[in-house]
Amino acid sequence: MDYNNTIHLPQTDFPMRAGLPKREPEMLSAMEAKGLYHKMVKRNEGKPRFVLHDGPPYANGNIHIGTAMNKILKDIIVKSRNMTGFCAPYVPGWDTHGLPIETAVLKDKSVKREEMSTAEFRTKCQEYAEGYIARMTEQFKRLGVLGEWENPYITLKPEFEAKQIEVFGKMAEKGLIYKGMKPVYWCPFDQTALAEAEIEYQDDPCTTIFVKFPVRDDKGKLGQYCDLSKTYFVIWTTTPWTIPGNFAICVNAEFDYVLLKAPNGEVYILAQELAQSVCKAAGVDYDACEVLYTCKGSEFELMRATHPLFDRESVILCGDHVTLEAGSGCVHTAPGFGAEDFAICQAYDKAGKTNIGVPVPVNAKGIMTDERYNGQYYAKGNDMVVEDLEKEGFLLCKEQITHSYPHCWRCKHPIIYRATEQWFCSVDAIKDAAVKSCDNIQWHPGWGKERMVSMISERNDWCISRQRVWGVPIPIFYCDDCGADIVTPETIAHVAQFFREHGSNIWFDSEARDLLPQGFVCPKCGKAHFTKETDIMDVWFDSGSTWAAVANARDYLKYPADLYLEGGDQYRGWFQSSMLTSIACNGVAPYKQIVTHGWTVDGEGKVMHKSLGNAVSPDDVLKEYGADILRLWVASAEYTQDMRISPEILKQLSQAYLKIRNTARYMLGNLSGFDPDKKVAPEKMVGLDRWALHQLGKLAKTCRAAYHSYDFHIAYRAIYNFCVVEMSNFYLDIIKDRLYCGDDAGRASAQTALYTILDGMTRLIAPVLAFTSDEIWAAMPHAKTDNAESVLMNDMPDFDPAFALSEDEEARWAKVMALRDDVNKALELARSEQGVKKNQDADLTLTFTAEGWKEFETLRMDEDDLAAICIVSAVTVAQGEGEGYKGEFFDGLTVKVSPAAGEKCPRCWNHDKHIGTPGHHAELCDRCAHVVGGKD
């Protein structure tokens, strides 16, 4: 008889090899065709809303591994929330204004800027951005990211620009917008102001100098101690080109200063604590110097020094910003080139003690404009200033060092501090409220709160104007008659409506009078002659307004949003600009939670660069492995830190993926013909099956908590370990005989457990494995109560109390697993030493010591149960000191492996000494004989 026909072998069309690069695009097309995203969200209508508000990527290039990681993280969150009791819509967005696009369009040889109007040029910029939006949309969708791709938010859209104008107007109405002359980050290459978020620091070589400023007017205080003709205030700077802008020297009123006479007869005014280090730098023997006088810095206030290169004075001021960290304690002060310099000079001017003003002897192109270096680029002027100081005897010393210097993040050139007339947002006015709001925000990781509080507390007012054309215009008018700056609720509403109807190009296409309400007159003088502002808004004002233009504007979203998720750089960028505009307008933060991810680096932790050959392209990963492997990488790593990726890491993850996939495949194969609506009741199930479902419940509880807390690596690791440890290494191995050869009742119990486990496991991994989870879902049977269309149309499982085990029962199964681990070790040795080919070719003798016997009795298993658990033909249990392998995991156990006694059953391959004996089947073991129907 052919007994194979009586065995229930696995049957499934689910392929062992995924072929993801080829099959995923087909699955993606099917998801799009049936509108899976919208069905997923619609299913959850009426549930509590959860809104992850998308931080807009910049529309000027293909996605890279960092942007891919960012979007996958967001997709995992959106899908997990939609499967755990929330309605979680996702609206992707794009940042589209700004200098990079403007620069890229200008490089296009077909674009003749000088022959185009501003509006025409801006249209070219818009076309450029829209081209990349289309390209990036397809790239993000290919990653398995679901969202409202057909209706994203785009910062260049008229409705968005109109909302942004309204945000600006509300801030202006509250007196938070003002025009002022102060130093800002300035890019000479791009000729525009920059925000703090647009600055990146690089190490640059520089010449640091100590310069002697001769005392000119000591207010009658110092002449009694020294020869004033040889007495100098000594300043220090790392930017010699700013020396022509020097109009003051700052000291700290509370520090001790010395008049230090050097061996050459010169007297230097220095902070006492820094005098020795200055002498060392200048090659002056400090021990040979003489301290002529010691006093507080306050005694120097309003003394005068002579500028070493120009025929003018530098006044001595007192400022708390002077420290003893470096330099000389006498700080070079150029109000046109430094924020602190500007502030201290303005304070003295306003107090009527000085009349310094804000001289700025460098123009927008970085060209020096003073009478001595006029026409020189500031970087070249650096060397010229040092050379002249040395030539004229005022250079105490110089040194070549490398220091961290700010650069423009767009063009990568060094920037300068330069005082210009700009539009600002007053951060000081809203700083306290913004800091306080951080107490009510959940931060993941927790250090985010401290970083945000620190950055807001320490920042200066926000320079929001840019001297470019590709952006949202600053909606301010000027009265030609009285010079008033005009921004009123009436003008804002009018401009916003114009932008909503026509887009912001109308600002550049129209005269000022045509942009104002009919009959509008200057609120100050009553005249009606106007011009309009030509600057545009900082692009961070665009993205900082998304809470108003998107989260608060679409009725299916909400404001404040539940979550913002971006990289750590956004504490200076989008996190902060959004916070400031929202606090300014409404007094609340725009988000309830902040999640921060790290950077992507190579396998050795190095930053990826094409020049180093270590960059990993999402496109290359998709071609070789598929999107689900990339998604598994995102979920497997602790993303709040820098995330390593390399071919080796991806290869390891592909192996982990196959373990999950083939675990599912094995379960699918053994569910052939199973009807989920005819599951075995929990109380009638085999104990081992109940244990397995208890483990599933624990897995569900762990994964749901991990998804909720955004700790996706915990969910991934739990699912992987479940597949490897509880399932493949234990449960699935043991139940194979029952599934293939057992009776109907035992098989039905196992199938019920397998179905429930596969159903739950597929739902739990669905947020991560976007394509594979749906592939499994399509291949498996479903209960009538489930939505068979997509796994995403169903909820994640939770811990089912019907399968809950007591602590004692769970401890009992842990001991069973420990015993089995020792048995497997013994069998492994027997295969190499005794030639035992298969476990079923062995009989075991398990011998327990007295203590071990006490533990064994708690297992409540007879010898047949143990044989099934250990997958051997027979087990004999004994007490005492046995021979064989000494157990490592189950105390007091010795395992002896012997060749199996009896004949081998051709159906189940177990050996049985009863085969062929009187009253028993001639070929089959008693179990198999019963199953196939009788004895021979």
Side-chain angles (χ1 to χ4, degrees), residues 522-571:
C522 174
K524 186 175 180 181
C525 71
K527 301 294 180 61
H529 304 98
F530 306 101
T531 54
K532 60 191 176 184
E533 176 60 69
T534 58
D535 286 356
I536 60 170
M537 289 191 218
D538 172 20
V539 70
W540 290 106
F541 203 101
D542 294 20
S543 58
S545 302
T546 59
W547 59 263
V550 186
N552 197 36
R554 301 194 184 193
D555 57 8
Y556 53 92
L557 303 178
K558 67 177 181 177
Y559 163 78
D562 291 286
L563 176 65
Y564 279 30
L565 181 153
E566 299 300 332
D569 58 330
Q570 296 308 315
Y571 284 89

Side-chain angles (χ1 to χ4, degrees), residues 652-664:
Q652 291 172 5
L653 283 167
S654 69
Q655 296 302 313
Y657 165 83
L658 286 176
K659 191 63 183 178
I660 297 171
R661 181 183 182 86
N662 287 325
T663 299

Side-chain angles (χ1 to χ4, degrees), residues 604-615:
E604 297 179 2
K606 298 177 182 176
V607 176
M608 288 187 282
H609 288 294
K610 287 184 179 180
S611 59
L612 297 176
N614 65 343

Side-chain angles (χ1 to χ4, degrees), residues 61-63 130-140:
N62 295 317
I63 69 171
E130 289 174 340
Y132 273 106
I133 289 172
R135 184 185 302 185
M136 293 170 74
T137 295
E138 294 307 310
Q139 293 170 338
F140 284 137

Side-chain angles (χ1 to χ4, degrees), residues 417-435:
Y417 292 95
R418 176 173 174 267
T420 61
E421 197 169 48
Q422 303 285 342
W423 285 100
F424 293 90
C425 167
S426 176
V427 176
D428 283 342
I430 57 176
K431 188 175 288 187
D432 291 345
V435 168

